[in-house]
């Protein structure tokens, strides 16, 4: 089973700052099967990035995804108030797994 | 409108079973897989299994093997997830999510169903 480890657990930043979230896979994964989700309190998760670097429908271009080998990164270039949420990475193969999440909170 | 609408909150006693429904609308139900994901209070997302809506093929996470059953009714475009042998640790919000195994991520989610296990 592939294990996804996200870091940091919590990111404290101010609006307008850049957020960099990391997701490391325990073994090689297809970049085409790596996604990021945003979840706000009391809501279902929302797809943000799929295929490691493709923005989902309606996601603003301040969100971007990249990767190198087993290290995947979600970057939010300039944080808006609505971006403060929990973010999960996911490997969506035949047995999907999620990372444990990174909380982006207002500093 | 493309959406997944789940059944309402439920309270069950330890040892009982619960069956959550997920009704799809706005798209061809059999074109996508339905996944089930749960989230215990204050915790992260946990994948439980997926079902091919066309064939009924299922793959369950090892943790839930023997306790979970996923089914569907194609005539009503509804997927079901039944969890048996409930214990307090099963208290969680249960989500259905549409995807295509190995190809497409979970693009569409239901609103979630809170299942509380309490004596």
């Amino acid at each position: 089973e592939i294990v996804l480890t996200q870091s940091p657990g919590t990111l404290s930043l101010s609006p307008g700052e850049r957020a960099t979230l990391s997701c490391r896979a325990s073994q090689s994964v297809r970049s085409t099967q790596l996604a990021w989700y945003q979840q706000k309190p009391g809501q279902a998760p929302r797809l943000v990035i799929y295929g490691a670097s493709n923005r989902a429908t309606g996601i603003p271009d301040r969100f971007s995804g990249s990767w190198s080998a087993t290290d995947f990164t979600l970057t939010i270039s300039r944080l808006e108030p609505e971006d403060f949420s929990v973010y999960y990475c996911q490997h969506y193969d035949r047995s999907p797994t999620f990372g444990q999440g990174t909380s982006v909170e207002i500093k | 409108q493309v959406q997944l609408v789940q059944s309402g909150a439920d309270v069950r006693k330890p040892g009982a079973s619960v069956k959550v429904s997920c009704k799809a609308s706005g798209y061809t139900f059999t074109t996508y897989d339905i996944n089930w994901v749960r989230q215990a209070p204050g915790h992260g997302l946990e994948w439980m299994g997926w079902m091919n809506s066309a064939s009924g093929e299922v793959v369950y996470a090892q943790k839930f093997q023997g306790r979970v059953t996923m089914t569907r009714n194609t005539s009503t475009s509804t997927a079901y997830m039944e969890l048996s042998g409930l214990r307090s640790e099963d208290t969680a919000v249960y989500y259905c999510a549409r995807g295509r195994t190995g190809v497409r991520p979970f693009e569409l989610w239901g609103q979630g169903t809170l299942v509380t296990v309490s004596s």
Side-chain angles (χ1 to χ4, degrees):
Chain A
E1 177 185 302
I2 293 172
V3 176
L4 299 177
T5 302
Q6 292 187 238
S7 61
T10 302
L11 200 50
S12 297
L13 295 168
S14 301
E17 289 193 298
R18 182 184 189 89
T20 303
L21 288 67
S22 175
C23 173
R24 174 166 290 178
S26 59
Q27 57 187 278
S28 178
V29 302
R30 293 183 179 182
S31 62
T32 53
Q33 297 177 330
L34 196 287
W36 291 91
Y37 298 85
Q38 175 192 66
Q39 187 179 33
K40 298 181 178 182
Q43 296 185 17
R46 174 193 184 194
L47 178 66
V48 176
I49 296 285
Y50 66 95
S53 62
N54 301 288
R55 278 188 301 277
T57 303
I59 300 300
D61 61 8
R62 63 180 180 272
F63 288 86
S64 63
S66 62
W67 78 97
S68 175
T70 57
D71 290 335
F72 296 84
T73 301
L74 174 67
T75 301
I76 310 171
S77 59
R78 291 177 311 278
L79 284 164
E80 296 288 339
E82 61 268 27
D83 300 336
F84 291 91
S85 303
V86 179
Y87 293 84
Y88 295 93
C89 60
Q90 179 207 33
H91 180 228
Y92 50 99
D93 67 349
R94 191 170 170 84
S95 294
T97 54
F98 290 94
Q100 80 277 21
T102 290
S103 176
V104 179
E105 64 175 33
I106 298 178
K107 187 174 182 180
Chain B
Q1 185 181 0
V2 179
Q3 61 181 352
L4 298 171
V5 178
Q6 300 183 220
S7 48
D10 209 340
V11 179
R12 297 285 168 165
K13 294 188 184 303
S17 298
V18 68
K19 192 170 186 178
V20 180
S21 67
C22 170
K23 183 172 177 59
S25 60
Y27 72 95
T28 302
F29 177 68
T30 52
T31 304
Y32 295 88
D33 302 327
I34 293 292
N35 290 264
W36 289 90
V37 176
R38 77 177 186 180
Q39 186 170 38
H43 286 75
L45 303 171
E46 182 176 32
W47 175 77
M48 300 179 68
W50 63 260
M51 178 187 65
N52 181 304
S53 303
S55 67
E57 176 191 6
V58 293
V59 172
Y60 302 137
Q62 189 170 7
K63 176 177 179 177
F64 299 101
Q65 293 267 7
R67 281 212 303 148
V68 70
T69 305
M70 296 177 187
T71 57
R72 89 281 190 224
N73 182 329
T74 55
S75 63
T76 61
S77 300
T78 304
Y80 300 90
M81 186 284 299
E82 184 170 21
L83 188 63
S84 62
L86 290 170
R87 32 206 190 233
S88 59
E89 311 89 87
D90 293 318
T91 294
V93 175
Y94 290 77
Y95 294 101
C96 59
R98 185 189 86 171
R100 197 172 286 159
T101 301
V103 179
R104 300 180 75 94
F106 299 1
E107 308 162 296
L108 180 67
W109 294 68
Q111 83 276 19
T113 297
L114 174 62
V115 175
T116 303
V117 182
S118 173
S119 54

